[in-house]
Amino acid sequence: MTPGPDGGLDLPPFFTLHAYDTVGSTNIIAKELADSGASEGQLVWARRQESGIGRRGRSWSSPEGNLYCSLMLRPECDPLTGASLSFLIAVSLHRAIESFLPAGTDIQVKWPNDILINGRKCVGILLESKTGAGGDLDYIVVGTGINIATYPELKEGLPAISLKEAGARVTVEKLLSAYAYSFLERYTVWKTEGFAPIRQDWLDRAAALGKRITVNLPDSSFEGRFSGLDETGALILELDSGESRLVTAGEVFIVP
């Protein structure tokens, strides 16, 4: 890895920045910091990744010009509670990105933590965690990739988009600063008031709420109406039979 300049970033005191020109994976460095005993708020940022990883072990294209960072947190909670941080991250990024887009741009969050601009994916989020001896989380690392200048041609899932194509005028440094401030404000709320206000923030920005969606699991798929989130963040799906089903994992697609 090659240390790089921080570019004059404006970050709240909560964060400790580790800036690099090139790394294999920012998540790996953040996990190493966590395992070495570092306090929460470690923020690893790289201009380029050589071995970026997305969800389900997929590779994440990481050319220079986009934002790649990983944030290490120690939320001091059980794994189920910690999983709700996925929604907090999505809301924080939505707020940060929206501030740089032209007024009226369609930007929404899609369960569980995608962010869509005009129905196209602009952000990748990967949470990795480690549980301590007592069963609570030792740490969570939140890896984030945001398409600012370019975007990959995805072979599966939603089509992608860059912020530049969507009309945003923003540098990597400005977006990272905006994300940091947005995150810290919502993280403070999460710590003091719990998941409920974050859940409402997410629902206020949700794609396909009240509409039909398809949920794909590794061995099956089913359709229904997306009616909301339960108190843990599970998706509530109203089936055609009238029954409700809770979805805690899976790929969601909006039915045309």
Side-chain angles (χ1 to χ4, degrees):
M1 66 188 72
T2 306
D6 65 14
L9 277 174
D10 173 25
L11 297 175
F14 173 81
F15 299 94
T16 301
L17 180 66
H18 304 264
Y20 299 91
D21 285 326
T22 303
V23 299
S25 164
T26 58
N27 259 34
I28 290 176
I29 297 175
K31 288 187 287 185
E32 290 172 347
L33 289 167
D35 287 331
S36 71
S39 60
E40 72 170 354
Q42 306 298 314
L43 180 61
V44 181
W45 165 46
R47 300 282 185 185
R48 185 168 63 90
Q49 293 184 119
E50 295 180 334
S51 307
I53 301 172
R55 282 183 293 180
R56 303 180 188 274
R58 299 165 181 159
S59 63
W60 183 265
S61 176
S62 307
E64 190 167 342
N66 298 330
L67 174 57
Y68 315 108
C69 65
S70 295
L71 173 60
M72 191 274 281
L73 303 171
R74 297 192 188 274
E76 299 180 344
C77 64
D78 61 87
L80 181 60
T81 301
S84 68
L85 286 169
S86 171
F87 298 91
L88 186 156
I89 295 296
V91 167
S92 301
L93 286 168
H94 182 286
R95 287 154 54 111
I97 292 169
E98 186 178 39
S99 67
F100 297 104
L101 290 170
T105 301
D106 178 22
I107 175 170
Q108 297 178 305
V109 295
K110 185 176 79 70
W111 192 90
N113 55 18
D114 282 333
I115 297 177
L116 309 181
I117 297 177
N118 300 327
R120 296 160 63 187
K121 183 172 179 175
C122 66
V123 174
I125 301 171
L126 175 66
L127 274 69
E128 297 185 281
S129 63
K130 181 178 179 180
T131 304
D136 280 351
L137 289 172
D138 182 16
Y139 64 79
I140 288 181
V141 167
V142 182
T144 304
I146 306 177
N147 303 329
I148 297 178
T150 61
Y151 60 89
E153 294 294 337
L154 302 180
K155 296 180 180 179
E156 55 183 295
L158 290 166
I161 192 173
S162 67
L163 300 193
K164 180 180 178 181
E165 183 177 334
R169 301 186 66 178
V170 60
T171 64
V172 175
E173 293 83 358
K174 286 184 178 179
L175 185 55
L176 180 54
S177 295
Y179 167 41
Y181 276 95
S182 178
F183 164 81
L184 187 57
E185 191 271 333
R186 290 288 86 192
Y187 191 46
T188 301
V189 169
W190 183 85
K191 282 190 166 184
T192 56
E193 302 179 40
F195 178 51
I198 305 302
R199 173 181 172 274
Q200 189 57 55
D201 281 347
W202 192 94
L203 287 170
D204 289 343
R205 297 163 168 80
L209 185 62
K211 299 179 180 179
R212 289 187 66 81
I213 61 172
T214 299
V215 178
N216 287 349
L217 303 180
D219 57 355
S220 64
S221 68
F222 44 91
E223 280 191 19
R225 189 178 73 89
F226 173 27
S227 64
L229 302 177
D230 78 352
E231 67 277 2
T232 69
L235 184 150
I236 304 172
L237 191 70
E238 290 186 4
L239 303 176
D240 293 340
S241 64
E243 298 177 284
S244 291
R245 176 168 180 172
L246 293 181
V247 180
T248 58
E251 298 278 355
V252 169
F253 298 90
I254 302 169
V255 177

